[in-house]
Amino acid sequence: MTTIETAPKTTPALDAHALEHPDTLVELYRRMRLIRQFEDRASRLYKTNQIPGFLHLSIGQEASAVGACWPLDDRDVVTSTHRGHGHCIAKGLDVDGMFAELMGKETGTCKGRGGSMHIADPRKGIFGANGIVGAGMPIAVGAGTAAQLKAEGAVVVAFFGDGAVAQGVFHESVNLAAVWDLPVIFFCENNGYAEFSSAADQHRATLKDRAAGYGIEFHSVDGNDVTAVAALQTELVERVRAGAGPMIVEAATYRWHGHYEGDPQSYRVEDELAEWKLRDPLEVLGARMRAAGLAERIEAVHADVDDTIGQAVRLANEAEYPVAETAGDYVISERTFIPEPPVPTEGVWKTMHSITAALTRELDDDPSVFLAGIDVGEGGNVFGLTRGLAEKYPGRVRDTPISESAIMGTAVGAAMAGYKPVVELMYFDFIGVCLDQLMNQAAKLRFMTGGAASLPMVVRTQFAAGKSSGSQHSQSLEALLAHIPGLTVVMPSTPSDTYGLLRAAIQDPNPVVFIENRLLYGMKGPKPADDHIVPIGKAIVRRPGADVTVVSYSAMMQGCLAVADRLAAEGIDTEVIDLRTISPLDFDTILTSLKKTNRLVVVHQAVGEFGVGAEIAAKAVREGFWYLDAPVVRVTAAQSPAPYSPVLEKVWLPDEEAIEAAIREVLDPDPSK
């Protein structure tokens, strides 16, 4: 049944006899039967509208789930797919909570926040079913990284379907796991169809061919024979625990139901399902058990499982739905209060040095912190910000391939496994190639797990315009990320705040995107104390004033302060507020200032429409309408991509002249002049 397609490394003797023990066979059968009955009942509940939302079932694939998880223990982690009920049950999740979750009840595994496609319990090493095809694989790489750093022999199994092989994250994840020699088994359940399309129509290379390309082992197995899967997986898990590195397993199986419940299945080949049902995983094992005289124990399993399923459904039906007032719970983890530190006035250092110092301090203080990214190790970062750290912290400062999605997923998985990863996205403009791992994974997993998942991770990135970097290396995209609930977005403007906010971000229990302006790397400012730390989500008044409020952040803050100083000579008293954190937005500080000045200007380098300034203006009109004596004015980049030509870029960028004009406009808003 099992073939090993490449020469294996030294392999310990497999105790195949143990899998033939009657108690083992009964337990394998029980787990498969539990999955089968769970999904059969779920199908019926869906048809009677007791389960809302989408439902994807794995009936027919029980052997691959049970066999793949058979040798796993509490150390180990699995990541799953949108068809993940079987994986969750095989890893030990109770069906009481799962039925309640499918019904959207408060007693559900994820408190009704996840549903069928997103069931997870990180406390049991179940890092989640996933509604995005292939998205669990980068997370598995992160969990594997944590396992490698912890060095306790943990193994990660990343389940995926044959359709996910066409996703870029498959390549990025397997390649990174191979480069880092991670303890990850990529387990493909090849059920013959990628949604509605035959697998034969989707690929021109086999998984065996692909594995050879990544330089890792490939193994195939009959996915409908649970003992064959368990035997292979027992061998591989033991070897991976011992350091054999990542592997790919392909289990040939078949799903009896459609891609989703209600799928008309017009793509099925006639008689194909009937042929596969002759190889029903439960019947394959059941026949062997009956031949071994275990018929009575099979019937006992049936009765026990039926009771378990019946009770679980009853409890789920009786459970309450979440209270409406809790709809916004679990979006972010509660932050530890950090008082505003004194503003440093002595010493001198550059922003670039503050970044290196903050990373060094956190690496020193917390062994769960590690850095990863393109050229952050031997290269020391493209701007030299991490130079020397790889030598000082071996294994905790890691170079990656150019694989942004895998890098972000590594952060997600490692954070869920208890680490505090700091990963680097070389340019902010590249956010588009890895947005899923931030938008659909990092930002949502705490919410979708009902608070069970913790995501203490930082994404460091940088941007700037003004030096002819062109349209794909100049973008200020903070509004895009600030629009995603669950993400924290930080943009410092001074060396001391960069140090204090980066330290706070690394210590924070939430996913933080830390955005630096590369044109500030050489900026000099006072050097704070080593224990300096700045609260996230709190703006600061950089310059008090009484006539007009100017709100900005990042590099534009310097221009605002320069204009305010010049206007002071004319008797115009400008209050300048530095947001520092874009999301969550500290509007209270803005409103307090607006009550005093009655006029508001917002300045940022990003384009204006649908931006941070627009959000602040909307809040000012809603919450501060009665204090406004003039319209809110925004000073932003023009509504076009960043030009390359210096002449065009100068026109495109907001400058001090535009800031000054806006201040004068709100001070004298008479349109007739």
Side-chain angles (χ1 to χ4, degrees), residues 158-215:
F159 288 100
F160 63 101
D162 50 277
V165 177
Q167 288 280 348
V169 290
F170 168 82
H171 161 77
E172 291 191 24
S173 301
V174 178
N175 186 59
L176 181 53
V179 169
W180 283 359
D181 208 27
L182 297 178
V184 181
I185 296 174
F186 295 93
F187 196 98
C188 178
E189 294 176 301
N190 188 342
N191 60 28
Y193 289 97
E195 296 193 359
F196 305 156
S197 301
S198 170
D201 298 331
Q202 299 289 301
H203 311 286
R204 291 295 178 264
T206 66
L207 264 182
K208 177 183 177 182
D209 294 334
R210 295 174 188 272
Y214 300 118

Side-chain angles (χ1 to χ4, degrees), residues 223-277:
N224 279 26
D225 184 339
V226 68
T227 57
V229 179
L232 173 63
Q233 197 74 345
T234 298
E235 173 193 336
L236 299 186
V237 166
E238 186 173 355
R239 292 180 53 219
V240 171
R241 290 198 201 284
M247 302 178 184
I248 292 177
V249 174
E250 183 175 28
T253 184
Y254 194 80
R255 57 171 162 85
W256 292 8
H257 285 220
H259 170 56
Y260 57 88
E261 290 301 277
D263 174 6
Q265 304 185 63
S266 57
Y267 51 87
R268 294 276 196 192
V269 177
E270 188 176 358
D271 297 331
E272 185 178 70
L273 177 58
E275 292 177 8
W276 275 94
K277 283 189 173 182

Side-chain angles (χ1 to χ4, degrees), residues 134-151:
M137 287 187 278
I139 296 172
V141 170
T145 303
Q148 188 180 69
L149 288 169
K150 196 174 293 185

Side-chain angles (χ1 to χ4, degrees), residues 349 352-362 385 499 503:
W349 69 350
M352 61 189 301
H353 299 144
S354 72
I355 295 169
T356 307
L359 294 173
T360 302
R361 174 64 186 266
E362 294 305 312
L385 304 180
Y499 176 81
R503 290 194 61 214

